[in-house]
Amino acid sequence: MFQIECPYCGKRELTEYSYGGEANLIRPTPVEAEESQAWAGYLFSRTNKRGLHLERWFHVFGCRKWFNVARNTITNEFVDIYLPGEKPQVDEQAKK
Amino acid sequence: MTHHFSAASLLRNAFSGHKNWSQQFRSVEPESKYQAVIVGGGGHGLSAAYHLAREFGITNVAVIEKGWIGGGNTGRNTAMVRSNYLQQDSVKLYDASIKMWESMSQKLNYNVMFSQRGLLHLAHSVSDMQEIGRRAHAINMFGADAELLSPGQVREWLPDINLNCRFPVMGALLQRRGAIARHDAMAWGYARCATELGVDIIQNCEVTGFEINNGQVRSVHTTRGRIETDTVGLAVSGHSTHLADMAGFRLPIETVPLQALVTEPLKPVLKSAVISASIHAYVSQSDKGELVIGGGTDPYVAYSNQGGFDEIETMMTAIKELFPNYSRLRIMRQWAGMVDLTPDRSPIISKTPVRNMYIDGGWGTGGFKTSPIGGLLMAEMMAKDTVPDLAAPFALSRFNTGVLVDEGAASSVAH
Ligand SMILES: Cc1cc2nc3c(=O)[nH]c(=O)nc-3n(C[C@H](O)[C@H](O)[C@H](O)COP(=O)(O)OP(=O)(O)OC[C@H]3O[C@@H](n4cnc5c(N)ncnc54)[C@H](O)[C@@H]3O)c2cc1C
Ligand SMILES: [Zn+2]
């Protein structure tokens, strides 16, 4: 088990959080969504990244706020933690 | 030529101190060209290779495995075999696999220790009772076996169970044909028969890329050279996304850790496998006597081959609630595997956007039991380039059409 540093509350046990899945999924507009590929992609397609993964976490048994994380999915190392609307400092690296 | 296993051969070899058994399967260097290449030497890949050779006469086949055969999830699972799913398409698929298990030891001349000792799925609430009731009727309607038990019948089946735990046991779904088997034996049995039919098994060889021209694979790049081929089958479970990335298409898969553990060995104490999806644990007793205990997956994407400690705590709490007399057993080993979850918790047995590439994956937490049928269906697709009826509902295209095969309830903790 690991600990996560909530940007509002500080370091807490994993069990206080819930995982919100991949970050930066952009919901298609109703017009775009008419094309089933775009809608299916938004609903189901995931990068499932082996390496640096951008994802959302929710501090459910704490401040009940959402934040973003860049985590290495092989080592479970939290490389960056940032607020919604912010850009991760590792963005370029993660895109590779 | 490999030995035929029998009581007589066992006796004969006893006289020579068991020193003259031949190797079980050949492990070879790759050739530069094969008619078909299967990526992944787990149960599904080996079963596909065996069935390609056996049922479809294609013997110029290589199985490429980056580690050792059966070293992925095939060697890490808790070996539960069942078909008590909810949807018609799944019950048919999983039950076809049970039927293949029932004759596997004879067909492969290899003891896979398939033991139909039954599988009990516990219900702890009114909604659980409704769920198992609905599922029992569905299963019976689709031609597989399932029975509903009252708490009294559960007690009769399992004298040690604590029915009045925190969430009391209100009933159970019993599948008598549910089974456990020896996972390594299945992999070795398929490998042995496949190599006997001419298949090459290449271990310690990782696939690193594909050469794709005009939407068709021409060759497979590996750490031991380039292999030309006409057909590729993917059976790499948790690594499916990685291989699909190499081939240039996206999959609706997330890879998460799933763990299990075993206790010290005991005399027989537990008659069948027992699952509780509501309080999140399951247990069976192996023929060696160890209690094999598992639970749910970690919730986040990870390739760490390690599960969270909190998951162990949850499942051990549940097991101790159900069977207080196990509370002082020591845990011998704990491990995790990386499982490939799909959004509807059903597999992907399908053609892919690359014309001569097929996939048998997305089995998530429950694909040990289906190694026979998954491999057979992929073999048929590879041999004939047509999709068998049993596989059709599990095509990749269902995520575009929205015709999902929802097995969320039947596969959350029950694997
Ligand atoms: C703890 C646990 C408990 C489980 N319990 C059950 C259960 O009770 N019942 C059940 O039915 N299922 C269960 N499962 C699920 C089951 O183990 C899997 O669904 C099944 O074994 C998958 O088989 P496979 O052959 O597709 O994959 P694997 O056995 O994982 O084989 C895939 C192989 O591909 C290889 N590979 C990957 N990438 C490459 C590459 N680039 N090049 C070459 N080779 C590569 C890997 O090394 C691996 O050996 C459980 C899983 C776990 C982890
Ligand atoms: Zn917080």
Side-chain angles (χ1 to χ4, degrees):
Chain A
M1 180 160 51
F2 44 78
Q3 294 182 321
I4 302 177
E5 178 117 19
C6 169
Y8 305 99
C9 314
K11 214 168 220 179
R12 300 289 176 83
E13 299 275 286
L14 172 70
T15 46
E16 286 193 13
Y17 298 89
S18 86
Y19 178 65
E22 187 172 331
N24 308 329
L25 297 172
I26 296 170
R27 187 186 170 111
T29 63
V31 177
E32 286 164 346
E34 272 174 32
E35 216 194 299
S36 72
Q37 299 269 2
W39 186 237
Y42 169 70
L43 286 181
F44 301 130
S45 180
R46 296 293 178 266
T47 59
N48 196 23
K49 197 69 183 283
R50 189 158 100 179
L52 214 48
H53 188 246
L54 303 183
E55 59 197 25
R56 308 172 72 216
W57 285 85
F58 178 42
H59 196 178
V60 58
F61 297 120
C63 61
R64 299 192 62 81
K65 285 189 181 133
W66 286 92
F67 55 95
N68 296 323
V69 156
R71 179 176 55 99
N72 182 329
T73 56
I74 302 167
T75 59
N76 278 333
E77 183 194 355
F78 285 75
V79 181
D80 196 10
I81 292 181
Y82 57 105
L83 299 179
E86 286 180 3
K87 285 240 177 294
Q89 282 166 15
V90 288
D91 204 6
E92 288 316 305
Q93 215 181 327
K95 276 183 189 140
K96 273 178 202 148
Chain B
M1 194 44 209
T2 46
H3 281 275
H4 182 83
F5 294 126
S6 64
S9 71
L10 190 62
L11 192 65
R12 209 167 38 246
N13 278 278
F15 285 115
S16 53
H18 293 294
K19 288 188 185 122
N20 296 329
W21 290 105
S22 59
Q23 229 180 347
Q24 306 248 328
F25 60 89
R26 280 179 300 121
S27 189
V28 296
E29 287 295 316
E31 309 267 340
S32 62
K33 189 173 181 348
Y34 287 95
Q35 190 176 346
V37 168
I38 290 163
V39 189
H44 284 265
L46 293 165
S47 158
Y50 166 75
H51 288 108
L52 262 179
R54 183 72 216 239
E55 308 294 329
F56 303 100
I58 298 176
T59 55
N60 185 229
V61 177
V63 177
I64 313 282
E65 166 54 53
K66 73 172 177 175
W68 61 95
I69 61 163
N73 289 342
T74 296
R76 296 162 192 267
N77 66 77
T78 45
M80 215 87 96
V81 179
R82 63 189 179 95
S83 65
N84 57 1
Y85 288 73
L86 175 64
Q87 310 289 346
Q88 179 164 16
D89 296 326
S90 341
V91 175
K92 278 189 174 162
L93 178 74
Y94 289 91
D95 212 58
S97 207
I98 295 196
K99 290 194 180 113
M100 291 171 79
W101 275 105
E102 285 166 347
S103 60
M104 191 189 295
S105 291
Q106 285 73 22
K107 280 217 172 107
L108 300 183
N109 178 229
Y110 208 90
N111 186 0
V112 295
M113 299 167 77
F114 181 66
S115 163
Q116 289 181 301
R117 56 186 68 181
L119 191 145
L120 209 59
H121 185 114
L122 303 176
H124 302 264
S125 65
V126 173
S127 67
D128 274 5
M129 289 299 289
Q130 290 166 344
E131 192 273 322
I132 63 168
R134 176 181 178 213
R135 193 137 56 93
H137 294 310
I139 295 163
N140 285 327
M141 220 161 71
F142 306 141
D145 73 299
E147 290 160 51
L148 291 170
L149 301 192
S150 67
Q153 288 168 309
V154 173
R155 149 92 57 232
E156 231 168 84
W157 185 266
L158 296 171
D160 285 345
I161 199 168
N162 171 22
L163 293 175
N164 296 314
C165 51
R166 182 167 167 218
F167 299 100
V169 176
M170 295 174 65
L173 177 72
L174 171 66
Q175 184 167 47
R176 288 183 194 268
R177 284 161 67 242
I180 57 172
R182 176 77 202 278
H183 43 19
D184 300 318
M186 175 203 65
W188 298 333
Y190 275 135
R192 175 170 172 272
C193 289
T195 53
E196 216 164 302
L197 293 166
V199 170
D200 278 359
I201 292 179
I202 298 149
Q203 304 187 88
N204 298 312
C205 179
E206 181 170 352
V207 170
T208 54
F210 299 105
E211 184 188 329
I212 295 171
N213 269 336
N214 292 328
Q216 203 149 339
V217 194
R218 307 289 167 182
S219 71
V220 177
H221 295 276
T222 77
T223 46
R224 286 160 78 177
R226 175 173 172 275
I227 300 172
E228 262 177 65
T229 185
D230 301 328
T231 314
V232 172
L234 303 179
V236 293
S237 69
H239 303 272
S240 296
T241 301
H242 196 53
L243 273 286
D245 281 348
M246 291 178 200
F249 59 90
R250 271 287 181 90
L251 289 173
I253 282 181
E254 289 193 293
T255 296
V256 299
L258 175 64
Q259 52 191 328
L261 50 84
V262 294
T263 67
E264 58 193 313
L266 303 174
K267 295 240 167 96
V269 289
L270 184 62
K271 173 168 161 179
S272 72
V274 183
I275 291 173
S276 171
S278 296
I279 64 173
H280 275 91
Y282 65 95
V283 56
S284 69
Q285 187 169 23
S286 75
D287 288 329
K288 230 194 285 178
E290 300 160 331
L291 293 175
V292 182
I293 297 174
T297 63
D298 282 302
Y300 44 83
V301 169
Y303 293 86
S304 55
N305 254 335
Q306 243 175 11
F309 189 70
D310 51 313
E311 293 296 333
I312 300 182
E313 199 175 358
T314 307
M315 69 203 198
M316 295 316 272
T317 310
I319 292 297
K320 283 172 68 170
E321 278 276 323
L322 287 175
F323 298 101
N325 58 350
Y326 297 168
S327 66
R328 272 169 298 160
L329 291 176
R330 276 162 294 205
I331 305 305
M332 309 286 284
R333 298 185 301 283
Q334 172 274 344
W335 65 90
M338 285 138 20
V339 299
D340 41 347
L341 291 183
T342 58
D344 60 358
R345 303 296 186 261
S346 284
I348 299 171
I349 316 170
S350 181
K351 295 186 171 191
T352 71
V354 178
R355 218 173 313 129
N356 52 350
M357 185 181 278
Y358 307 87
I359 184 167
D360 170 18
W363 288 101
T365 63
F368 167 70
K369 65 180 76 66
T370 50
S371 306
I373 193 74
L376 174 64
L377 294 171
M378 185 158 78
E380 183 165 347
M381 290 192 293
M382 292 176 74
K384 299 188 182 163
D385 193 38
T386 55
V387 178
D389 289 347
L390 268 184
F394 302 98
L396 202 42
S397 60
R398 73 177 185 274
F399 298 99
N400 279 332
T401 57
V403 188
L404 304 183
V405 188
D406 183 4
E407 288 296 356
S411 65
S412 60
V413 169
H415 312 311

